[in-house]
Amino acid sequence: MIDFVGKRKVFILLSLLLVITGLIFVFTKGFNLGVDFAGGTEFVISSDKEVSINEIRNILSSIKSDYATAKIAKLKNLNVKNSELFQYSVVLKESLSGSTALKEELIKSMKSKFSEKDIKIDFLEFNDVSGYAAEEIKSYAWYAVIISLVLLLAYITLRFKFSFGIGAIIALAHDIIITMGFYSIFGIEINVAAIAAFLTLAGYSLNDTIVVYDKIRENMKKLRGKKSIEEIVNTSINEVIVRSINTSLTTFLVVLPILIWGGRAIAPFAFGLAVGVVVGTYSSLYIASPIVIGWIKKTKVL
Amino acid sequence: MKSHKVRVIISVVVILTALLMFFWPSKTASENTGVFKYFSNIKLGLDIKGGSMLEYNMKLDEGTDPNEIIDNVILVLRKRLDAAGYTEAVVSKVVSGNKIRVRVEIPGITDIETAEKLIGSRGKLYFAEVIDVQTSDTKPVIRRNKYVVINGKEEPIYDYVRDLYDETTWYKVQKYFTFGKEPFEFTGTEVVDANADINTRKKGFLVNLKFSSQGSKKFELITGNLVGKRLAIILDNRVIIAPVVNQKITSSSAVIEGIQTIEEARNVAALIKAGNLPVDLVKFQERTTGPTLGRDVVETIVKAGLLGLLVVMVYMIAFYGWMGVVADIALLFNSVLLLGVLAGTHAILTLPGLAGIILTFGTTVDGNVIIYERIKEELRHGRPPLTAVRFGFDKAFWTLFDANLTTVLAGVVLYYFATGTVRGFAITLIIGVLGSMFTNLVVSRAILESTSHLINVKKYQSAAVEEGKR
C-alpha cells in the first residue's frame, strides 16, 4: 500500500507550485499562437536544393519589407520518387486579407527569385486565415471549453455527488493549466489541433478521475463505519493504481512515436497528449481524490 | 448461457458487417496509391488527399438578408466550377453564429490560382449600351462623366470596358439606362436562361436568352430605345459579346445572332448563365495542401501509430497473459469496426481524425484493463475463472460507462463547435469510444467466457494466499 492520502498536503503544495509556474509563463511569455488563432499566412515550400533560412528571408524581404519578420523553419526532408526535396515552413504575421492578387504576386515572385538562383521551388501548403476568422475560431474554442466543463460537472454531479464534480473540475483545471504552461515554456504552437488535444486530455483526465471515484463510492458502501475516510480513499486509489499506470503507459507509448516522427503538422497535438497523460495520471492519484476528503468528512453521508 | 451465445453471434455479425463496408468494391479504388490503396472506401479529407478549402464572406448591403442570397451564390459558384471542369468540388453554406458564409472545397487541385480567379470573380453580369469602340493598350480616360443616383448612391454612367478576348479593344459603355421614369440597370438577375443553338434562318449560330417578367419589361424599354445600336453583355468587367439591336423586343425571350462557331455560342451562353453572382465575395480563409505533403505526413503518422500499437500489444500480453491476447483481439476488432463505420457512413477522414483513431487504441486498452483488474480481484477471492469473468464484467460496467461517456460528451461538444478538419477528429473519437465500449463489453466478454480455462488462475490465487498469510 502506498500512502497517497497522508502526504496530500505536500503534493497539493507541489501542484500549486506547478500551476503558479504555468500561469506565470502563460501570462509573461505567452503562447506561440498558430495562424488559426492569430491570423496570418502560412506556407510550406519544397526546394530541390538546400537553402539557408537567411536566403529565404532575404528573398522574402526583397518582395515586401514587411515579410522580413516572417517565422521560417526547416522541416524534415521529403522523399518523393527517389529524389530528395527540402521543406521549409514560412509564417507571415499578416493575412493577405483575401486578396488573390497579393497572393499570386507573392507566389510568382518567390518562384522567379528562387529560379534566378537556379533553385526550383513548389508550394506544398498555403494557409491564409484572416483576422476575423482567427477571432471566430478563438471565441469558439472558449465556448467549447466552457460548455464541455458545464456538461461534465452536471454529469458527475448526477452520477456521483456535487463535491466529486468540483474535485474532478479542479483536477481538470490543474491538468490543463500545467499542460498550457508546458506549451508556453517549450514554445509549442497552439492551433486548432492543440485545442483538440486539450479536449481529449480533458476527457482522459476525467476518465481517470472517475475510475478512482467509482472505486471510492464502492468502497464507502462496503467499509463505511469500519474505516476512516482517509483509509477508504487510500485503499481505493491503491486498488486502481495498476489500471491507471497501465492505461497511461500504453497511451503514452502510442503517442510518443507520433510526437517524435509525426512531424510538424501533428506535433502540437501529440505534445499535449504526451504531457497531459503524465500530468493527468499524477493528478488523479494525488489531487482529485485527496482534495475531496475534507468535503466528504463534513457531509459524512454519501 | 443464452446471453453468451447472443454475444458471440452479435460480435460475429458486427465484424462481418464492418469488413463488408470496408472492402465493398468502390469506383475510386484505382485512383488511390500507396497506403491509400487499402482505404479506398474511406473518404479522405483535403488535408490528406491534397486540395483547397476557400471560405468567403458575402459583402452585403445593410438590411439585406443573407439567407435570400446564399442559395443563388452557391448555385452560381457551382455552375462556374462545373463549367471549368472542377466537377468534384463541393460548394456549401457555412452558418457561424449570425453570419452565413460560402465554402468551396476542391479536392486534388493543383492549380489553385485558376480556381480562385473563377470563384472570386467579383463582378456581376450586366448589359450596357455601347457608345464608342477604341483600340488602346491602356484603359482610356473618360473626360466628362455624367452621374445618376441608383439606390441612393451616385454612380458614374460611362465606363471603358475591355473585350474578353482582345486585350486592346475597349468599349465605352453607358452602364445605366436613363430612359423611362428613373434610371435603371439591367443585370444578370433578369436572365432566367441562356443556351446555344444553330441558326436555322441564316448561317452561323445563335444564343437564346430568356428573361424574367420584370426583365422583359425592362428589355422592351431598352430595345425600343436602342434599335440599330450595340448592346454589350459584360461579365467581370469584360465584354463577352456586343450584338446590334435589330428591333424592339416585346416577348420574354431574345436571340443573339451572327456567331461564327458553335463553341463560341456555347461559351457565351455558359458565361451568361453562370455569370451572375449577386454579391461580392471577400475571402475569409484559405487552406491548401499539396498532395505530396498530405501523403508524406500520413505515412509517417500511420507508421508511428502502428509501431506504438505493436508495443502496446506486446505489453498487454506480457502483463496479462491470455487476457492480454484477448485485449489485443479487442483492439484489432475495434480498429476494423471504426474503419468499417467510417467507410459505411462516408465520414471524412482527416489528419486529426487519424490522431483520433490512435487515441481510441488507448480507450480500448483502458476498458480492458479496468475489466481485467476486476477479474483479477475476483480470482484473488478464490472464485472459479468463469464466475470471476462474469462478475468482473458486471462490476466494471458502470465504471466503463461513466468514464467513457465523459469522453463522448467532450467529443460531441467538439464536433458541434469545431469546423473543418478538427471535426474529423471529433467523429473518429466518438465512433471509436462507442466502439470500444461495445468491443470491451460484448466482444471481449464473449471471447473470455468461452476461453476462461486459458486464464492462468494460479498466478492470481497464489498472490491472494500470500496476502492472506501476512
Side-chain angles (χ1 to χ4, degrees):
Chain A
M1 285 269 273
I2 306 168
D3 185 13
F4 290 99
V5 173
K7 298 188 191 101
R8 67 177 185 273
K9 284 188 180 126
V10 180
F11 284 105
I12 290 172
L13 208 67
L14 173 73
S15 283
L16 269 176
L17 212 69
L18 282 172
V19 167
I20 290 167
T21 318
L23 284 176
I24 287 173
F25 266 95
V26 168
F27 282 109
T28 56
K29 194 181 175 220
F31 293 119
N32 170 13
L33 288 178
V35 291
D36 288 331
F37 292 106
T41 307
E42 180 185 29
F43 54 83
V44 176
I45 50 171
S46 72
S47 69
D48 54 354
K49 292 194 187 82
E50 190 156 10
V51 203
S52 74
I53 303 284
N54 249 333
E55 261 178 283
I56 300 178
R57 192 180 301 286
N58 286 340
I59 284 173
L60 279 169
S61 60
S62 72
I63 294 169
K64 199 176 160 196
S65 55
D66 291 357
Y67 295 163
T69 57
K71 269 192 256 174
I72 308 169
K74 187 177 188 304
L75 306 177
K76 76 186 167 55
N77 297 354
L78 192 68
N79 259 315
V80 185
K81 288 174 203 145
N82 301 324
S83 67
E84 201 174 14
L85 293 174
F86 300 89
Q87 273 186 65
Y88 304 89
S89 106
V90 179
V91 181
L92 305 176
K93 254 194 239 150
E94 60 278 309
S95 157
L96 300 178
S97 55
S99 161
T100 307
L102 265 178
K103 176 185 150 195
E104 258 179 70
E105 192 195 304
L106 174 68
I107 292 178
K108 264 188 201 142
S109 13
M110 286 276 287
K111 279 187 175 165
S112 73
K113 294 213 163 153
F114 271 102
S115 71
E116 277 169 26
K117 298 182 179 219
D118 204 24
I119 299 167
K120 191 182 173 294
I121 63 159
D122 265 315
F123 280 74
L124 299 181
E125 198 183 316
F126 198 99
N127 294 324
D128 182 9
V129 180
S130 73
Y132 298 112
E135 275 307 311
E136 197 176 290
I137 293 169
K138 217 186 277 178
S139 69
Y140 275 175
W142 279 116
Y143 285 143
V145 169
I146 291 165
I147 288 181
S148 26
L149 285 185
V150 170
L151 275 178
L152 295 170
L153 183 63
Y155 183 76
I156 299 169
T157 308
L158 197 77
R159 297 280 304 146
F160 293 88
K161 219 174 178 312
F162 186 65
S163 61
F164 281 73
I166 293 293
I169 296 289
I170 291 175
L172 184 64
H174 165 270
D175 296 349
I176 289 190
I177 291 170
I178 293 176
T179 312
M180 278 180 158
F182 273 98
Y183 270 84
S184 175
I185 290 168
F186 289 101
I188 307 287
E189 187 181 316
I190 301 257
N191 55 17
V192 176
I195 296 299
F198 281 120
L199 282 172
T200 320
L201 163 62
Y204 257 58
S205 164
L206 279 164
N207 193 314
D208 244 14
T209 309
I210 283 171
V211 174
V212 184
Y213 282 179
D214 196 62
K215 201 77 193 182
I216 295 177
R217 181 172 57 181
E218 185 188 323
N219 281 338
M220 282 182 92
K221 276 185 203 142
K222 216 160 44 182
L223 302 168
R224 192 183 315 155
K226 288 179 211 158
K227 279 184 174 176
S228 72
I229 187 75
E230 280 93 346
E231 280 174 304
I232 294 178
V233 171
N234 207 30
T235 315
S236 310
I237 298 176
N238 272 286
E239 278 172 7
V240 297
I241 189 169
V242 177
R243 173 263 161 198
S244 283
I245 289 172
N246 274 347
T247 301
S248 305
L249 203 65
T250 47
T251 308
F252 191 75
L253 285 177
V254 176
V255 177
L256 193 66
I258 296 172
L259 178 61
I260 296 171
W261 292 299
R264 195 189 57 104
I266 209 82
F269 177 83
F271 179 84
L273 286 184
V275 173
V277 163
V278 176
V279 179
T281 311
Y282 157 76
S283 78
S284 61
L285 296 180
Y286 286 98
I287 302 298
S289 304
I291 217 171
V292 291
I293 286 177
W295 208 323
I296 300 174
K297 257 189 190 165
K298 262 182 223 152
T299 49
K300 286 245 161 90
V301 248
L302 188 78
Chain B
M1 201 80 267
K2 210 180 160 198
S3 58
H4 173 63
K5 263 187 195 153
V6 173
R7 270 186 213 105
V8 173
I9 292 166
I10 291 178
S11 303
V12 173
V13 169
V14 166
I15 194 76
L16 287 179
T17 317
L19 283 170
L20 195 71
M21 286 198 280
F22 186 60
F23 285 110
W24 194 260
S26 77
K27 288 172 211 151
T28 54
S30 54
E31 288 170 24
N32 295 314
T33 51
V35 281
F36 300 119
K37 254 192 298 202
Y38 309 102
F39 297 91
S40 53
N41 266 355
I42 291 181
K43 251 180 142 176
L44 299 172
L46 295 182
D47 57 339
I48 295 180
K49 197 174 7 176
S52 304
M53 188 276 274
L54 297 148
E55 209 172 292
Y56 294 91
N57 261 329
M58 297 188 290
K59 206 167 153 191
L60 294 169
D61 295 330
E62 248 172 78
T64 317
D65 184 5
N67 288 302
E68 288 173 5
I69 296 178
I70 186 76
D71 289 334
N72 199 356
V73 171
I74 291 175
L75 199 71
V76 170
L77 291 187
R78 179 77 264 169
K79 280 182 189 164
R80 284 188 183 180
L81 287 162
D82 283 346
Y86 299 111
T87 47
E88 288 241 299
V90 178
V91 184
S92 56
K93 171 168 117 175
V94 180
V95 182
S96 157
N98 53 0
K99 285 236 175 87
I100 292 182
R101 281 193 288 272
V102 59
R103 176 185 293 164
V104 180
E105 287 162 290
I106 313 170
I109 176 176
T110 43
D111 189 11
I112 176 72
E113 280 107 57
T114 317
E116 202 187 330
K117 261 191 199 157
L118 203 80
I119 299 160
S121 295
R122 315 175 77 206
K124 313 187 269 190
L125 183 84
Y126 62 95
F127 289 47
E129 180 188 347
V130 179
I131 308 286
D132 188 19
V133 183
Q134 278 191 23
T135 309
S136 163
D137 286 335
T138 52
K139 186 174 177 173
V141 183
I142 295 167
R143 290 212 178 75
R144 251 172 277 152
N145 213 332
K146 277 201 251 171
Y147 294 86
V148 282
V149 177
I150 294 267
N151 300 331
K153 269 186 273 180
E154 198 171 70
E155 303 276 359
I157 287 188
Y158 299 117
D159 196 5
Y160 272 101
V161 182
R162 209 178 240 179
D163 189 82
L164 181 62
Y165 304 102
D166 187 1
E167 295 281 315
T168 56
T169 304
W170 292 88
Y171 295 79
K172 186 184 183 186
V173 296
Q174 181 176 348
K175 292 204 275 186
Y176 302 98
F177 301 102
T178 46
F179 16 82
K181 281 174 206 146
E182 47 186 297
F184 65 94
E185 49 182 343
F186 192 89
T187 66
T189 30
E190 320 286 12
V191 183
V192 181
D193 200 8
N195 52 18
D197 208 346
I198 297 172
N199 197 339
T200 46
R201 293 187 294 125
K202 299 175 198 165
K203 69 175 172 123
F205 300 89
L206 54 80
V207 172
N208 287 308
L209 296 178
K210 252 200 154 115
F211 303 112
S212 65
S213 61
Q214 212 193 353
S216 21
K217 274 179 221 149
K218 282 187 188 174
F219 204 65
E220 184 181 337
L221 202 56
I222 294 169
T223 48
N225 281 287
L226 295 180
V227 175
K229 291 182 178 163
R230 290 178 82 184
L231 193 61
I233 302 175
I234 301 160
L235 172 65
D236 302 340
N237 282 322
R238 293 281 193 146
V239 174
I240 302 171
I241 194 165
V244 176
V245 179
N246 291 326
Q247 70 208 56
K248 180 176 175 177
I249 293 165
T250 49
S251 69
S252 66
S253 61
V255 174
I256 305 173
E257 288 182 328
I259 300 169
Q260 305 299 322
T261 62
I262 184 71
E263 283 78 29
E264 197 194 337
R266 276 201 193 122
N267 218 356
V268 168
L271 285 168
I272 292 174
K273 206 156 75 170
N276 183 43
L277 201 56
V279 66
D280 283 356
L281 296 179
V282 182
K283 191 154 69 178
F284 187 64
Q285 59 173 327
E286 171 190 353
R287 287 158 199 275
T288 306
T289 308
T292 41
L293 188 71
R295 198 167 303 147
D296 193 51
V297 173
V298 169
E299 275 186 25
T300 344
I301 294 178
V302 169
K303 274 179 205 157
L306 284 178
L307 182 75
L309 187 63
L310 202 72
V311 174
V312 169
M313 287 174 96
V314 172
Y315 178 90
M316 287 300 282
I317 294 176
F319 207 87
Y320 289 105
W322 174 247
M323 291 199 287
V325 176
V326 178
D328 292 349
I329 296 172
L331 206 53
L332 296 176
F333 190 101
N334 194 30
S335 309
V336 173
L337 181 61
L338 181 72
L339 292 174
V341 172
L342 277 179
T345 57
H346 304 295
I348 295 167
L349 183 61
T350 61
L351 254 160
L354 268 178
I357 293 182
I358 287 159
L359 270 182
T360 55
F361 294 160
T363 341
T364 316
V365 169
D366 178 57
N368 277 298
V369 172
I370 291 177
I371 295 163
Y372 298 165
E373 287 303 317
R374 289 286 185 165
I375 295 176
K376 269 162 73 177
E377 239 170 67
E378 298 300 320
L379 288 170
R380 278 193 210 111
H381 291 148
R383 296 202 207 285
L386 188 60
T387 321
V389 167
R390 285 192 183 151
F391 277 32
F393 273 97
D394 287 341
K395 284 191 174 168
F397 178 81
W398 284 109
T399 317
L400 271 181
F401 187 83
D402 285 337
N404 285 334
L405 205 78
T406 49
T407 312
V408 173
L409 275 180
V412 170
V413 172
L414 191 59
Y415 179 80
Y416 189 75
F417 281 101
T419 51
T421 55
V422 174
R423 221 172 218 203
F425 168 73
I427 292 172
T428 49
L429 189 70
I430 295 168
I431 300 175
V433 170
L434 292 178
S436 86
M437 272 172 82
F438 170 80
T439 317
N440 287 334
L441 294 172
V442 180
V443 182
S444 293
R445 184 168 185 163
I447 301 174
L448 268 184
E449 280 190 4
S450 325
T451 61
S452 59
H453 55 280
L454 290 171
I455 298 170
N456 185 354
V457 181
K458 273 181 198 146
K459 192 171 137 196
Y460 307 115
Q461 279 178 345
S462 63
V465 173
E466 271 167 38
E467 260 174 41
K469 277 180 192 165
R470 253 186 281 146

